Amino acid sequence: MMSLKVVDAESGSAHRDFIGLPWAINRDDPYWVPPLRREVAKLLSLKHPFFQHAERKLFLVKDGEQPVGRIAAIINHNHNRFHDEKAGFFGFFEAFPDPGISSVLFAAAEGWLRGKGAEFVMGPMNPSTNEECGLLVDNFMSSPLVMMTYNPPYYMDLIEDAGYAKAKDLYAYSFNTPRTIPPRLEKLTKRIEKREKDLVTRPVDMKRFAREIEVVKAIYNDAWEKNWGFVPMTDAEMDQMAKDLKPIIVPELTILAFIGDEPAGFIMSLPDYNQVLKVLDGRMTPWGVFRAIRAAKRIRTGRCITLGVREKFRKRGLEAPLFAATLRAGIEKGYRYGEFSWILEDNTLVNETINKVFSATHYKTYRIYRKDL
C-alpha cells in the first residue's frame, strides 16, 4: 500500500529530487530526451526573469522516502494582466502511472492556485507559452525535436482523470527537405520580391548580436500579440532567451526581413540539438561533451521554431521569402528532414500553407488542458 505525502520542493534534497525525477520515470524510454539539469534549475530559479512577473510553488510527492511525482503551480501576472483574467497554470508535471499520485499532485497545485485567486488552471506550461509547453497526445514512437516536449502516453489519462479537458491543440509538421526550393514557393517568393521593392532579407549578424536582438524585440511582441495564449516577453526575458540561444544559433537559419530600414519579420530554425542532449544525459561531463561534439556533426534535422511578421506588414506575402531563405540554407547544409512546430490548430492559413507548399505531414499533436476551479 502506498503511503503518499506532499513535500515542499523549493530547496535542499527535495529540490534535487524534483529536478531528477524525470530520470526515474523515463530512463528506459528510448525516445525520451534528458534535459540538462543545470538548465532546468536555472529555469526554475526565482532569479530567472520570468519570475520578475510570476510566482510559483514546487510540489513533490513521495511514497515513503521515494519521489514518485512532481508539479509546479504557477501564477503568471503578465498573462493575467494582458488577457484580463484570473488564470493559474501547472507545469513540469511528472508522475508514475498511478492516479493516486497525480490526484495528490493536482490537489496540492490547485489548492495553492486557488489561494492566489485563480479561477481556472491551464497547462502544462513549463512555465509559459514562451518556453516549452503542451502535452504530447499522439505519436510517441519518435523523439521530440529541440525545445519540444515529450511524455509517456499515460500522462493523458492522469491529467484527464484529474478533471482537465482540452483547451487547445498545437500541431507539429514533418517534411523531407527537398533538393531544391519547391516550385510553388520559388514562384511566390520571386513575385513578392518583385512587388516589394524595399524588401531586404538577411541572416542574423552574430558579430552585432546585441543590435540584432533589439530588431527581434521590435518584431516579436507585435507579430504574436493576437495569438491564443500569447504573453508579451519582457526585455529581461528576451535578453535571457537570446543568451541561452546564442551558442546554438546557426546564422543562416535565422533570417530577418526589413521593409526599407524598418524591421518587418523574422524566422528562426535550429538544428535538432536534442540529438546532442541525448548523449549528455543531463550533465556536461568531459566524456559527454566529446560524444556530444560527435553527435552534433551528424545532425541532419532542423526545427523551424518561429516565424512572425509585424501586423502592419501582414497580407503582403513576406512569409514566402523568409521560408525560402531558411529552407535554402538548410538544403545547402545537407539537412534531410525538418519540422514546423508548434502551430495552433485553428491557424488555418499557416496550416494549409505548410501542407501545400512543403507537402508537410501533421505528425504530432500537443495539448493544452484546462480546468475550472
Side-chain angles (χ1 to χ4, degrees):
M1 181 177 294
M2 300 184 76
S3 176
L4 300 178
K5 60 181 178 180
V6 180
V7 300
D8 183 305
E10 296 296 328
S11 60
S13 61
H15 192 69
R16 291 191 292 273
D17 287 341
F18 186 99
I19 292 173
L21 183 61
W23 276 262
I25 293 173
N26 299 294
R27 66 162 60 99
D28 294 327
D29 189 329
Y31 304 114
W32 178 62
V33 178
L36 285 175
R37 291 173 186 255
R38 70 182 190 187
E39 293 302 312
V40 177
K42 182 170 68 177
L43 184 56
L44 289 172
S45 170
L46 295 178
K47 295 180 180 180
H48 190 280
F50 175 76
F51 292 107
Q52 293 175 7
H53 59 80
E55 301 176 67
R56 61 120 180 91
K57 185 70 173 179
L58 307 181
F59 296 99
L60 185 72
V61 169
K62 290 186 174 183
D63 178 14
E65 295 303 313
Q66 181 68 34
V68 293
R70 74 176 197 183
I71 198 168
I74 302 161
I75 295 287
N76 185 344
H77 296 295
N78 273 7
H79 172 100
N80 287 339
R81 282 191 289 265
F82 188 75
H83 292 279
D84 191 24
E85 59 190 20
K86 296 179 180 179
F89 300 92
F90 77 86
F92 302 94
F93 173 76
E94 301 279 353
F96 283 99
D98 187 317
I101 297 170
S102 52
S103 64
V104 171
L105 283 169
F106 281 109
E110 291 163 11
W112 186 85
L113 293 168
R114 195 179 289 110
K116 293 290 182 177
E119 296 177 347
F120 64 93
V121 186
M122 290 199 300
M125 302 283 185
N126 305 326
S128 77
T129 54
N130 289 322
E131 302 285 348
E132 294 182 4
C133 64
L135 188 86
L136 181 65
V137 297
D138 60 15
N139 193 359
F140 301 90
M141 302 300 289
S142 63
S143 293
L145 268 64
V146 60
M147 298 176 68
M148 293 296 285
T149 65
Y150 179 83
N151 51 266
Y154 67 83
Y155 278 21
M156 284 187 293
D157 294 331
L158 296 182
I159 292 173
E160 290 169 10
D161 286 347
Y164 287 80
K166 169 188 164 181
K168 187 74 69 174
D169 277 352
L170 319 173
Y171 291 168
Y173 288 84
S174 68
F175 67 98
N176 295 327
T177 305
R179 294 185 178 180
T180 59
I181 303 296
R184 182 180 295 189
L185 179 60
E186 186 75 52
K187 182 178 179 180
L188 180 57
T189 297
K190 289 180 178 179
R191 186 164 73 239
I192 299 304
E193 291 174 340
K194 182 177 180 180
R195 186 181 68 209
E196 300 289 343
K197 303 295 185 182
D198 294 333
L199 173 64
V200 175
T201 59
R202 63 167 177 80
V204 65
D205 186 346
M206 299 302 290
K207 294 181 179 179
R208 295 176 173 83
F209 192 67
R211 184 195 67 184
E212 301 290 64
I213 293 305
E214 293 304 312
V215 173
V216 172
K217 287 178 182 178
I219 299 168
Y220 186 84
N221 286 337
D222 184 355
W224 279 270
E225 182 178 14
K226 295 183 179 178
N227 280 8
W228 180 90
F230 171 76
V231 182
M233 293 186 75
T234 65
D235 282 354
E237 285 180 283
M238 190 77 75
D239 290 341
Q240 182 65 57
M241 181 171 286
K243 181 180 178 181
D244 293 340
L245 289 177
K246 185 177 180 180
I248 62 175
I249 286 176
V250 175
E252 296 86 351
L253 298 176
T254 301
I255 310 296
L256 303 174
F258 300 82
I259 297 295
D261 294 328
E262 191 170 1
F266 80 101
I267 189 170
M268 174 183 284
S269 299
L270 291 174
D272 182 25
Y273 285 112
N274 271 7
Q275 297 175 39
V276 174
L277 290 180
K278 269 197 168 186
V279 303
L280 289 174
D281 194 28
R283 300 186 188 278
M284 296 284 283
T285 64
W287 173 241
V289 171
F290 173 74
R291 294 177 63 211
I293 291 171
R294 295 179 61 187
K297 292 179 179 179
R298 296 194 295 268
I299 295 175
R300 293 295 181 269
T301 303
R303 176 189 166 217
C304 181
I305 67 172
T306 190
L307 166 66
V309 174
R310 293 174 63 192
E311 187 169 13
K312 67 183 293 185
F313 296 115
R314 289 187 192 148
K315 299 182 180 179
R316 292 166 64 168
L318 302 187
E319 295 85 355
L322 287 167
F323 270 134
T326 192
L327 181 58
R328 189 173 292 112
I331 293 171
E332 291 174 355
K333 291 182 174 298
Y335 283 35
R336 298 172 185 171
Y337 309 100
E339 177 179 294
F340 294 108
S341 59
W342 45 264
I343 300 158
L344 292 169
E345 61 177 328
D346 49 5
N347 190 338
T348 304
L349 178 61
V350 174
N351 284 303
E352 290 183 350
T353 298
I354 288 173
N355 181 265
K356 292 178 181 179
V357 174
F358 293 92
S359 299
T361 301
H362 169 208
Y363 85 123
K364 288 188 179 182
T365 303
Y366 299 81
R367 183 160 295 163
I368 304 296
Y369 285 90
R370 172 176 169 143
K371 176 183 179 179
D372 292 336
L373 294 178

